[in-house]
Amino acid sequence: MGRKSMLRELKIENLAIIDELDLEFEKGFAVLTGETGAGKSIILSGINLLIGEKATIDMIRDGEESLLAQGVFDINSEQVKNLEELGIETENNEVIVRRYLSRSGKAKVYVNNIRIGLNELKNVMSKLVDIVGQHSHQMLLNKANHIKLLDSFLSKEDKEIKIDIETLVKEYKSLEERIEDILKSKKEILEKKEFYEYQLQEIEKLKLISGEEEILENEYKKAFNAEKIREKLFETLDYLKNNEDSALDGILQSKRNLEYLDKYDKEYGGLAKKLENLYYELEDCTSNIESLGENIGEFDGRNLEKITSRMNSLKRIKEKYKREIPELIEYRESLKKKLSLFEDSDFEIQDLEKKLNICREKYNLLAENLHKLREKVAVKIEKTLLDELKFLNMENAVVKIEINKDERISNEGFDDVEFLISTNLGQSLKPLSKIASGGEVSRIMLALKVIFSKVDNIPILIFDEIDTGVGGETVRKIALKLKEIGESTQIISITHSPVIASKANQQFFIEKYVKDEKTISRVRKLKTEERVKEIGRMMVGEKISSDVLEIANKMLNEV
């Protein structure tokens, strides 16, 4: 079986009128009792802090700088695993949750001395503690939560269908969005198609090449200065080879002289070799200059006009589109892509619609299977819930879980779920939100918690005045039911009912008093004889007779 989860210790400091509180809980069923305004709800606020509810500065006790809420929990192996996923180690399956808030607004959450975020705390504690109070009533009355209540009774295998449905819904919506995007783009292109075609034709006509402008500028300089360039080239050639004192002849003759002197000293031969290399390099340079000189003759006025015309064309297109040549090339490709998309979009939409239909067929099949599973589960819940309500003195109640299909695409399938009830004989079925009696809401809430606690495995249930609006035999039935649940789950109940208090394993008394002109709330665990007196007080008030005490004693000892 393993160790059962429970709240073992609760420590609160400087929360509202509580200066310091330290409680130790046992397994089973515990009650918190006391006069109205003594601070029972404040203890609930402290537990709320431990499960991740919002903390505000006005919760801090007057005159103090900070508040602290701390709980020591025994947890099971599943909760140990949840904590390990957050990097929190546990020892002996024990977890200590600590919540701190200062007047400066500084807030901290620690679990086993590891600081974590509020959302992480909520995630861990949602599987450990469930507070059944006004918030739970609101959840119960809200139709949007009914499908979650129903689905919590599905088996693990059945719940996997929901996961498959969620995957299909995600795929379906993605396909829908893609089709919508294509249709939107197609519409935009259609509105500007002729304009895009004109622009593409105009840009393509120029046959733009990246880097062409630099090439044209270079050719323009050469063409514009052709005569000057030719003149300087031929002058250079004259220096090198075409006159009597040409550089080439001078180097060649110098080389021969040094070769002649080589027989006197080898150093002259080395210099001759260098001049020979210089001769061949200069000869190669001369050849290149001759070639350049011949080519420069190709640049005439017509060629210059052609280059100028091309440069002007590029300038005009740049000014018109306010883009440089590389950007115009990129824009040209984007126009091609848009027009191509327009031509091909119908085929792509057809393909996507085929996939969408396949996805919808799979979804319909899974959603139909889920619908049938929910119908079976609903029948079981109706019967079990009805049995619980009859035990709680709602003998004429009729319960119906209505499941309607609306063929929508949703993570929940196409079911619309609502819990309906008739609490009196001959009365038509109505939504839970139409229940006027607080006592009926409390009993329905308790009945639901009884049956759903068997599947949600939350080990600690805290009831905030579950006895509101009920009395007599009904409150006795509620007390018996809380005691029954307490055999498998830790129950902590805030109550005004002496009957409920008498069925608990533990009873804590909350009282308030004034000290140094400050109101202080104090909580203490009651011994058996103290419990008799407190139950008597709850029955008749402060004037407790021996007869009342005898009745209270009998209630405590009643099996």
Side-chain angles (χ1 to χ4, degrees):
M1 287 290 291
R3 191 172 185 174
K4 284 190 176 180
S5 300
M6 62 173 285
L7 172 60
R8 205 169 72 232
E9 296 175 26
L10 176 66
K11 182 181 180 68
I12 296 173
E13 292 179 1
N14 302 325
L15 176 59
I17 61 172
I18 293 177
D19 60 344
E20 187 174 1
L21 172 150
D22 208 334
L23 301 180
E24 291 186 11
F25 292 98
E26 298 170 2
K27 295 177 184 177
F29 179 23
V31 290
L32 302 170
T33 65
E35 294 180 356
T36 302
K40 295 189 294 296
S41 61
I42 300 170
I43 295 172
L44 190 62
S45 296
I47 298 173
N48 268 322
L49 290 175
L50 296 179
I51 65 173
E53 293 298 316
K54 186 179 178 182
T56 56
I57 294 171
D58 58 10
M59 297 170 77
I60 301 172
R61 179 175 164 79
D62 288 344
E64 303 295 337
E65 290 303 312
S66 63
L67 68 79
L68 171 74
Q70 178 176 294
V72 179
F73 297 86
D74 288 337
I75 59 174
N76 61 30
S77 55
E78 186 181 342
Q79 275 115 29
V80 169
K81 187 179 177 182
N82 289 336
L83 288 171
E84 285 175 349
E85 288 174 356
L86 292 173
I88 299 169
E89 297 296 325
T90 60
E91 191 173 330
N92 298 322
N93 284 36
E94 180 184 89
V95 61
I96 301 173
V97 180
R98 192 153 39 97
R99 187 94 180 265
Y100 168 89
L101 177 69
S102 70
R103 284 206 181 274
S104 64
K106 192 174 184 180
K108 295 179 183 177
V109 179
Y110 293 93
V111 176
N112 285 0
N113 290 323
I114 302 295
R115 190 169 178 182
I116 65 171
L118 204 56
N119 286 334
E120 291 172 320
L121 178 66
K122 283 182 179 180
N123 177 42
V124 172
M125 301 304 286
S126 65
K127 299 175 180 68
L128 189 61
V129 180
D130 186 5
I131 296 181
V132 186
Q134 189 59 40
H135 177 64
S136 300
H137 289 182
Q138 290 167 359
M139 277 188 63
L140 170 66
L141 301 179
N142 187 349
K143 177 187 169 185
N145 295 314
H146 292 182
I147 196 165
K148 296 173 187 174
L149 288 171
L150 175 61
D151 286 352
S152 66
F153 246 80
L154 293 170
S155 68
K156 186 178 179 181
E157 293 74 17
D158 294 343
K159 285 177 181 175
E160 287 176 0
I161 294 177
K162 285 190 70 175
I163 296 170
D164 293 338
I165 284 175
E166 287 173 10
T167 303
L168 281 171
V169 169
K170 187 177 180 181
E171 182 184 347
Y172 188 90
K173 288 183 177 177
S174 176
L175 289 167
E176 275 192 323
E177 286 172 8
R178 178 62 186 146
I179 291 171
E180 190 178 330
D181 288 344
I182 292 171
L183 289 172
K184 185 179 177 182
S185 297
K186 188 176 180 180
K187 185 182 177 184
E188 289 174 357
I189 293 169
L190 183 61
E191 291 171 353
K192 299 180 179 179
K193 186 171 180 289
E194 290 185 3
F195 179 60
Y196 286 156
E197 285 174 337
Y198 167 76
Q199 285 189 321
L200 181 61
Q201 185 181 10
E202 183 179 43
I203 296 171
E204 279 201 313
K205 189 177 179 181
L206 287 171
K207 293 182 172 59
L208 300 175
I209 301 169
S210 185
E212 184 183 8
E213 283 182 295
E214 291 80 1
I215 294 169
L216 287 170
E217 285 175 11
N218 192 39
E219 288 181 351
Y220 177 83
K221 286 177 185 176
K222 287 194 286 184
F224 188 79
N225 296 287
E227 288 302 323
K228 189 184 293 183
I229 293 169
R230 189 184 297 110
E231 180 185 335
K232 289 296 178 183
L233 287 175
F234 286 133
E235 187 179 314
T236 301
L237 283 172
D238 281 341
Y239 285 141
L240 290 173
K241 59 179 279 189
N242 293 335
N243 58 54
E244 292 179 359
D245 300 320
S246 70
L248 280 170
D249 288 342
I251 291 171
L252 187 60
Q253 186 57 50
S254 300
K255 169 184 165 287
R256 290 171 182 161
N257 290 339
L258 289 169
E259 284 174 339
Y260 174 79
L261 294 174
D262 181 60
K263 60 185 177 182
Y264 301 115
D265 191 333
K266 294 297 179 185
E267 187 177 352
Y268 298 120
L271 290 171
K273 192 67 178 173
K274 289 182 179 180
L275 283 174
E276 183 180 11
N277 292 335
L278 181 60
Y279 176 83
Y280 288 128
E281 283 187 25
L282 193 58
E283 191 176 45
D284 184 56
C285 184
T286 303
S287 177
N288 287 337
I289 292 170
E290 282 180 321
S291 178
L292 287 169
E294 291 170 4
N295 290 337
I296 204 74
E298 295 175 7
F299 289 95
D300 53 22
R302 282 175 299 176
N303 198 31
L304 183 62
E305 186 180 340
K306 183 181 175 183
I307 294 167
T308 304
S309 174
R310 179 64 175 173
M311 290 176 73
N312 287 336
S313 296
L314 295 182
K315 183 181 178 184
R316 280 194 298 272
I317 200 80
K318 281 165 58 178
E319 288 175 349
K320 181 174 181 178
Y321 286 89
K322 293 181 172 55
R323 287 176 170 90
E324 294 300 317
I325 297 300
E327 292 171 323
L328 279 167
I329 292 170
E330 191 177 324
Y331 183 57
R332 177 188 68 195
E333 297 309 308
S334 74
L335 288 173
K336 285 181 182 179
K337 191 174 179 180
K338 283 180 180 179
L339 292 168
S340 174
L341 174 65
F342 182 81
E343 299 299 329
D344 300 337
S345 59
D346 288 341
F347 297 108
E348 188 176 357
I349 288 171
Q350 286 174 13
D351 183 54
L352 288 169
E353 284 178 339
K354 283 179 185 177
K355 291 178 180 177
L356 196 69
N357 290 333
I358 292 168
C359 190
R360 180 66 197 241
E361 286 171 9
K362 289 179 180 177
Y363 168 85
N364 287 344
L365 185 62
L366 288 175
E368 183 61 37
N369 288 342
L370 184 59
H371 173 75
K372 289 175 181 176
L373 290 168
R374 281 172 173 156
E375 285 185 325
K376 289 179 182 178
V377 168
V379 172
K380 291 178 183 178
I381 295 173
E382 285 168 0
K383 184 181 182 305
T384 311
L385 185 55
L386 204 56
D387 290 342
E388 294 293 340
L389 290 174
K390 283 182 178 178
F391 177 81
L392 294 170
N393 280 5
M394 292 180 71
E395 294 86 355
N396 296 318
V398 178
V399 175
K400 175 68 178 173
I401 300 175
E402 191 172 72
I403 306 174
N404 295 315
K405 291 163 64 175
D406 62 6
E407 304 299 325
R408 72 187 188 278
I409 292 284
S410 153
N411 285 337
E412 304 293 345
F414 40 52
D415 290 332
D416 184 66
V417 176
E418 184 167 22
F419 282 56
L420 303 175
I421 191 165
S422 168
T423 56
N424 298 304
L425 202 63
Q427 189 180 57
S428 61
L429 288 165
K430 294 179 180 177
L432 291 182
S433 58
K434 300 295 182 183
I435 299 170
S437 166
E440 287 177 343
V441 172
S442 294
R443 279 180 282 174
I444 294 166
M445 189 75 244
L446 177 58
L448 283 167
K449 281 299 166 186
V450 170
I451 64 173
F452 285 108
S453 64
K454 295 171 184 175
V455 291
D456 59 20
N457 296 318
I458 294 178
I460 304 168
L461 289 176
I462 299 172
F463 289 91
D464 182 15
E465 299 185 1
I466 193 70
D467 51 288
T468 300
V470 293
E473 178 62 13
T474 301
V475 79
R476 191 182 77 84
K477 291 289 187 72
I478 290 175
L480 290 172
K481 187 54 66 175
L482 290 173
K483 185 176 182 179
E484 178 192 324
I485 306 171
E487 291 174 6
S488 58
T489 302
Q490 186 184 33
I491 302 292
I492 300 172
S493 178
I494 294 172
T495 184
H496 288 289
S497 167
V499 179
I500 289 177
S502 70
K503 299 301 176 190
N505 306 110
Q506 270 186 305
Q507 184 169 353
F508 295 90
F509 178 64
I510 300 105
E511 60 183 341
K512 65 178 179 181
Y513 60 95
V514 176
K515 183 181 179 181
D516 299 330
E517 297 184 352
K518 284 188 178 181
T519 302
I520 297 174
S521 187
R522 184 177 64 178
V523 183
R524 57 190 173 89
K525 181 182 175 182
L526 299 180
K527 296 176 183 177
T528 303
E529 60 272 19
E530 291 175 316
R531 289 189 69 184
V532 172
K533 290 181 181 178
E534 170 59 6
I535 290 169
R537 183 199 66 78
M538 295 172 76
M539 291 167 62
V540 299
E542 297 301 326
K543 294 180 180 180
I544 308 170
S545 66
S546 57
D547 291 339
V548 171
L549 290 176
E550 187 178 340
I551 295 169
N553 188 55
K554 187 178 178 181
M555 289 169 64
L556 265 176
N557 292 298
E558 190 178 54
V559 178

